[in-house]
Amino acid sequence: MSGLADTTLQLNSGARIPQVGLGVWQTPSGAATRQAVAAALDAGYRHVDTARIYGNEADVGAAVREGAVARAELFVTTKLWNADQGYDPARRAFDASLARLGLDYVDLYLIHWPVAGKRLESWRALERIHADGRARSIGVSNFLVPHLEELLGAAKQVPAVNQIELTPFLQRRDTRALCDRHGIVIEAYSPLTRGQRLNHPVVADVARRVGRSGAQVLLRWGVQHRLVELPKSTRPARIAENGALFDFALDDRAMNELDGLEEGLVTGWDPAEQA
Ligand SMILES: NC(=O)c1ccc[n+]([C@@H]2O[C@H](COP(=O)([O-])OP(=O)(O)OC[C@H]3O[C@@H](n4cnc5c(N)ncnc54)[C@H](OP(=O)(O)O)[C@@H]3O)[C@@H](O)[C@H]2O)c1
């Protein structure tokens, strides 16, 4: 039976990406991050999503290097922060991230945010990093339709993924349609609405019907839409719960009810405001 460790999506780079990854934004550096990653590996996760700005790359790298799972079976993502955008700064920032991680390569390197006037030069740096084999796949984050159209008009390489906030309450249908047309996989960040809609009556009703938690219902909705889901928790029991998504399914009625929850809920920064 396929499960957390072997449920993957195909990327345009040729690599495959595990469909559920542990997010570590706001997970404190040090033992908290190392323990969260270790708990995730124990639970069967094979994918961790960090970033320069999260301040915990070194701990993610330590947990990956010291864990029992072979590097080749793991998928590690980090991201280029805004202050480091531009061609030369991006290449230096990547070197520094890789050094902090203590790895020979990352599976995915993302432009964290579409910084105006810099993002195309940053993308050129990522293309170079990919060509050098040090990032197996490259992509973007927080790129909506105007940012993607600009990039696709200039890029040699189509991004493998676009990581955006995505839940039943914020569905970004136009961005998803454009990404589908170009074979760009969508990664859903803040997939638990940062806790804000876990007890929404529709979510709670679906959860009751399938005998699962509200968190699992939100994540399973994304899995069935062929999104990569990136839930964050520091608690081992919740990390396991958030990965237990492949032994149940939502029926058409439940999917339709969840699809009907769009309300434009942005819990973080809204890239629609970025020119
Ligand atoms: N690219 C970007 O700009 C960007 C932006 C935001 C996030 N992200 C990525 O997406 C990841 C996840 O997003 P997020 O951290 O914003 O939010 P999230 O995963 O939607 O929600 C995390 C919150 O939910 C709680 N939680 C986790 N599992 C739970 C469960 N089963 N039941 C109840 N509560 C639960 C967590 O608390 P505990 O930790 O106490 O369990 C935490 O407060 C990040 O860690 C990061 O990797 C990327």
Short mmCIF file of all heavy atoms in Angstrom, two decimals, residues 23-25 49 54 79 112 141-142 163 189-194 198 215 230-235 238 241-242, ligand 1:
data_model
loop_
_atom_site.label_atom_id
_atom_site.label_comp_id
_atom_site.label_asym_id
_atom_site.label_seq_id
_atom_site.Cartn_x
_atom_site.Cartn_y
_atom_site.Cartn_z
N GLY A 23 6.90 21.32 7.51
CA GLY A 23 7.30 22.73 7.51
C GLY A 23 7.95 23.08 8.84
O GLY A 23 7.54 22.57 9.88
N VAL A 24 8.96 23.95 8.80
CA VAL A 24 9.64 24.32 10.05
C VAL A 24 9.72 25.84 10.27
O VAL A 24 10.54 26.31 11.04
CB VAL A 24 11.05 23.67 10.17
CG1 VAL A 24 10.92 22.15 10.29
CG2 VAL A 24 11.96 24.05 9.01
N TRP A 25 8.85 26.59 9.61
CA TRP A 25 8.77 28.02 9.91
C TRP A 25 8.27 28.19 11.35
O TRP A 25 7.30 27.54 11.74
CB TRP A 25 7.82 28.73 8.94
CG TRP A 25 7.69 30.21 9.23
CD1 TRP A 25 8.68 31.07 9.58
CD2 TRP A 25 6.48 30.97 9.19
NE1 TRP A 25 8.17 32.34 9.75
CE2 TRP A 25 6.82 32.30 9.53
CE3 TRP A 25 5.15 30.67 8.90
CZ2 TRP A 25 5.88 33.34 9.58
CZ3 TRP A 25 4.21 31.69 8.95
CH2 TRP A 25 4.57 33.01 9.29
N ASP A 49 10.77 21.20 4.65
CA ASP A 49 10.75 22.51 4.01
C ASP A 49 11.27 23.56 4.98
O ASP A 49 10.61 23.93 5.94
CB ASP A 49 9.31 22.86 3.61
CG ASP A 49 9.23 24.19 2.89
OD1 ASP A 49 9.46 24.21 1.68
OD2 ASP A 49 8.93 25.21 3.55
N TYR A 54 14.18 31.20 8.19
CA TYR A 54 13.63 30.48 9.36
C TYR A 54 14.70 30.29 10.44
O TYR A 54 14.37 29.97 11.58
CB TYR A 54 13.05 29.10 8.98
CG TYR A 54 11.94 29.10 7.95
CD1 TYR A 54 11.51 27.92 7.36
CD2 TYR A 54 11.32 30.28 7.54
CE1 TYR A 54 10.50 27.90 6.41
CE2 TYR A 54 10.31 30.28 6.58
CZ TYR A 54 9.92 29.08 6.01
OH TYR A 54 8.92 29.05 5.07
N LYS A 79 15.26 28.10 0.83
CA LYS A 79 14.79 29.23 0.01
C LYS A 79 15.72 30.42 0.11
O LYS A 79 16.35 30.66 1.15
CB LYS A 79 13.38 29.67 0.48
CG LYS A 79 12.41 28.51 0.68
CD LYS A 79 10.99 28.97 0.98
CE LYS A 79 10.12 27.79 1.39
NZ LYS A 79 10.25 27.44 2.83
N HIS A 112 12.05 32.88 -2.43
CA HIS A 112 11.04 32.91 -1.36
C HIS A 112 9.89 33.87 -1.67
O HIS A 112 8.75 33.62 -1.30
CB HIS A 112 11.73 33.31 -0.05
CG HIS A 112 11.04 32.81 1.18
ND1 HIS A 112 11.72 32.41 2.30
CD2 HIS A 112 9.72 32.66 1.48
CE1 HIS A 112 10.86 32.02 3.22
NE2 HIS A 112 9.64 32.17 2.75
N SER A 141 8.28 30.83 -4.93
CA SER A 141 7.28 30.85 -3.87
C SER A 141 6.61 32.21 -3.86
O SER A 141 7.27 33.23 -4.10
CB SER A 141 7.95 30.57 -2.52
OG SER A 141 6.99 30.58 -1.48
N ASN A 142 5.33 32.20 -3.59
CA ASN A 142 4.55 33.45 -3.54
C ASN A 142 4.47 34.15 -4.89
O ASN A 142 4.31 35.37 -4.95
CB ASN A 142 5.09 34.38 -2.46
CG ASN A 142 4.92 33.80 -1.08
OD1 ASN A 142 3.80 33.55 -0.64
ND2 ASN A 142 6.03 33.55 -0.38
N GLN A 163 5.39 27.54 -4.51
CA GLN A 163 4.90 27.33 -3.15
C GLN A 163 4.09 28.54 -2.72
O GLN A 163 4.64 29.64 -2.60
CB GLN A 163 6.08 27.10 -2.19
CG GLN A 163 5.62 26.83 -0.77
CD GLN A 163 6.75 26.60 0.22
OE1 GLN A 163 6.84 27.28 1.25
NE2 GLN A 163 7.62 25.65 -0.06
N TYR A 189 1.37 26.06 1.27
CA TYR A 189 1.89 26.41 2.60
C TYR A 189 0.77 26.90 3.52
O TYR A 189 -0.32 27.21 3.04
CB TYR A 189 3.07 27.35 2.52
CG TYR A 189 2.87 28.84 2.27
CD1 TYR A 189 2.15 29.66 3.13
CD2 TYR A 189 3.51 29.45 1.19
CE1 TYR A 189 2.04 31.03 2.93
CE2 TYR A 189 3.41 30.82 0.97
CZ TYR A 189 2.68 31.60 1.84
OH TYR A 189 2.58 32.96 1.63
N SER A 190 1.06 26.92 4.82
CA SER A 190 0.03 27.17 5.85
C SER A 190 -1.24 26.37 5.55
O SER A 190 -2.35 26.91 5.59
CB SER A 190 -0.27 28.67 5.97
OG SER A 190 0.92 29.41 6.17
N PRO A 191 -1.08 25.06 5.27
CA PRO A 191 -2.23 24.26 4.82
C PRO A 191 -3.25 24.00 5.93
O PRO A 191 -4.37 23.58 5.64
CB PRO A 191 -1.59 22.93 4.38
CG PRO A 191 -0.37 22.81 5.24
CD PRO A 191 0.13 24.23 5.38
N LEU A 192 -2.84 24.30 7.18
CA LEU A 192 -3.77 24.16 8.31
C LEU A 192 -4.37 25.52 8.68
O LEU A 192 -4.90 25.69 9.78
CB LEU A 192 -3.04 23.55 9.52
CG LEU A 192 -2.38 22.18 9.25
CD1 LEU A 192 -1.59 21.73 10.47
CD2 LEU A 192 -3.42 21.14 8.87
N THR A 193 -4.27 26.48 7.80
CA THR A 193 -4.76 27.85 8.05
C THR A 193 -4.15 28.43 9.32
O THR A 193 -4.75 29.29 9.96
CB THR A 193 -6.31 27.93 8.15
OG1 THR A 193 -6.75 27.16 9.29
CG2 THR A 193 -6.97 27.38 6.90
N ARG A 194 -2.95 27.94 9.68
CA ARG A 194 -2.30 28.34 10.94
C ARG A 194 -3.29 28.23 12.11
O ARG A 194 -3.28 29.05 13.02
CB ARG A 194 -1.70 29.73 10.80
CG ARG A 194 -0.62 29.75 9.69
CD ARG A 194 -0.14 31.14 9.34
NE ARG A 194 0.71 31.70 10.36
CZ ARG A 194 1.09 32.98 10.38
NH1 ARG A 194 0.70 33.79 9.43
NH2 ARG A 194 1.86 33.42 11.33
N LEU A 198 -9.56 25.28 11.66
CA LEU A 198 -9.59 23.83 11.92
C LEU A 198 -10.96 23.38 12.45
O LEU A 198 -11.33 22.23 12.28
CB LEU A 198 -8.49 23.44 12.91
CG LEU A 198 -7.05 23.53 12.38
CD1 LEU A 198 -6.06 23.16 13.48
CD2 LEU A 198 -6.87 22.64 11.16
N ALA A 215 -7.60 18.84 10.91
CA ALA A 215 -6.30 19.01 10.24
C ALA A 215 -6.14 17.98 9.13
O ALA A 215 -5.74 18.31 8.00
CB ALA A 215 -5.17 18.88 11.26
N LEU A 230 2.39 21.07 3.16
CA LEU A 230 3.53 21.35 4.04
C LEU A 230 3.07 21.76 5.44
O LEU A 230 3.26 22.91 5.87
CB LEU A 230 4.39 22.47 3.44
CG LEU A 230 4.99 22.19 2.06
CD1 LEU A 230 5.65 23.46 1.49
CD2 LEU A 230 6.01 21.05 2.13
N PRO A 231 2.46 20.85 6.21
CA PRO A 231 2.03 21.21 7.56
C PRO A 231 3.22 21.38 8.50
O PRO A 231 4.21 20.66 8.39
CB PRO A 231 1.19 20.00 8.00
CG PRO A 231 1.77 18.85 7.23
CD PRO A 231 2.18 19.44 5.90
N LYS A 232 3.08 22.32 9.43
CA LYS A 232 4.11 22.54 10.46
C LYS A 232 3.56 22.11 11.82
O LYS A 232 2.45 22.49 12.19
CB LYS A 232 4.50 24.01 10.51
CG LYS A 232 5.43 24.40 11.67
CD LYS A 232 4.69 24.89 12.90
CE LYS A 232 5.64 25.23 14.06
NZ LYS A 232 4.90 25.64 15.28
N SER A 233 4.34 21.37 12.56
CA SER A 233 4.08 21.19 13.99
C SER A 233 5.40 20.90 14.67
O SER A 233 6.34 20.39 14.03
CB SER A 233 3.09 20.06 14.26
OG SER A 233 2.89 19.95 15.67
N THR A 234 5.48 21.23 15.95
CA THR A 234 6.65 20.84 16.73
C THR A 234 6.33 19.63 17.61
O THR A 234 7.20 19.14 18.32
CB THR A 234 7.09 21.99 17.66
OG1 THR A 234 5.94 22.44 18.38
CG2 THR A 234 7.68 23.14 16.87
N ARG A 235 5.07 19.17 17.58
CA ARG A 235 4.65 18.11 18.51
C ARG A 235 4.59 16.78 17.78
O ARG A 235 3.83 16.62 16.81
CB ARG A 235 3.27 18.43 19.06
CG ARG A 235 3.20 19.82 19.65
CD ARG A 235 1.83 20.08 20.21
NE ARG A 235 1.59 21.51 20.28
CZ ARG A 235 0.70 22.06 21.09
NH1 ARG A 235 -0.02 21.32 21.89
NH2 ARG A 235 0.54 23.37 21.07
N ARG A 238 1.16 15.39 16.74
CA ARG A 238 0.53 16.11 15.62
C ARG A 238 1.28 15.86 14.32
O ARG A 238 0.66 15.78 13.25
CB ARG A 238 0.49 17.60 15.92
CG ARG A 238 -0.57 18.00 16.93
CD ARG A 238 -0.55 19.50 17.12
NE ARG A 238 -1.63 19.95 17.97
CZ ARG A 238 -1.78 21.22 18.34
NH1 ARG A 238 -0.88 22.13 17.94
NH2 ARG A 238 -2.78 21.57 19.11
N GLU A 241 -0.04 12.67 13.17
CA GLU A 241 -1.43 12.86 12.72
C GLU A 241 -1.47 13.52 11.33
O GLU A 241 -2.21 13.08 10.44
CB GLU A 241 -2.15 13.75 13.75
CG GLU A 241 -3.56 14.17 13.38
CD GLU A 241 -4.10 15.23 14.35
OE1 GLU A 241 -3.70 15.24 15.55
OE2 GLU A 241 -4.91 16.06 13.92
N ASN A 242 -0.63 14.53 11.14
CA ASN A 242 -0.65 15.28 9.88
C ASN A 242 -0.10 14.46 8.71
O ASN A 242 -0.31 14.81 7.54
CB ASN A 242 0.15 16.58 10.01
CG ASN A 242 -0.46 17.53 11.03
OD1 ASN A 242 -1.63 17.40 11.37
ND2 ASN A 242 0.34 18.47 11.52
N1 LIG B 1 6.98 30.23 1.31
C1 LIG B 1 6.40 30.97 2.24
O1 LIG B 1 6.34 32.21 2.16
C2 LIG B 1 5.79 30.29 3.43
C3 LIG B 1 4.96 31.02 4.30
C4 LIG B 1 4.36 30.35 5.38
C5 LIG B 1 4.62 29.00 5.57
N2 LIG B 1 5.46 28.32 4.72
C6 LIG B 1 5.77 26.88 4.92
O2 LIG B 1 4.58 26.16 5.23
C7 LIG B 1 4.74 25.53 6.50
C8 LIG B 1 3.44 25.44 7.23
O3 LIG B 1 2.81 26.69 7.34
P1 LIG B 1 2.55 27.43 8.73
O4 LIG B 1 3.60 27.02 9.69
O5 LIG B 1 2.40 28.86 8.41
O6 LIG B 1 1.11 26.95 9.19
P2 LIG B 1 0.23 25.62 9.29
O7 LIG B 1 1.02 24.41 9.00
O8 LIG B 1 -1.02 25.89 8.53
O9 LIG B 1 -0.18 25.66 10.85
C9 LIG B 1 0.75 25.50 11.86
C10 LIG B 1 0.01 25.71 13.20
O10 LIG B 1 -0.95 24.68 13.39
C11 LIG B 1 -0.66 23.96 14.59
N3 LIG B 1 -0.93 22.52 14.27
C12 LIG B 1 -0.16 21.69 13.54
N4 LIG B 1 -0.73 20.48 13.42
C13 LIG B 1 -1.91 20.55 14.09
C14 LIG B 1 -2.95 19.61 14.33
N5 LIG B 1 -2.89 18.38 13.82
N6 LIG B 1 -4.00 20.00 15.06
C15 LIG B 1 -4.06 21.26 15.57
N7 LIG B 1 -3.12 22.21 15.37
C16 LIG B 1 -2.04 21.85 14.63
C17 LIG B 1 0.78 24.23 14.90
O11 LIG B 1 1.04 24.22 16.28
P3 LIG B 1 2.15 23.26 16.97
O12 LIG B 1 3.46 23.46 16.27
O13 LIG B 1 2.14 23.71 18.39
O14 LIG B 1 1.62 21.87 16.80
C18 LIG B 1 0.95 25.66 14.37
O15 LIG B 1 0.45 26.60 15.32
C19 LIG B 1 5.78 26.41 7.19
O16 LIG B 1 6.36 25.78 8.32
C20 LIG B 1 6.74 26.66 6.06
O17 LIG B 1 7.54 25.52 5.84
C21 LIG B 1 6.02 28.95 3.66
#
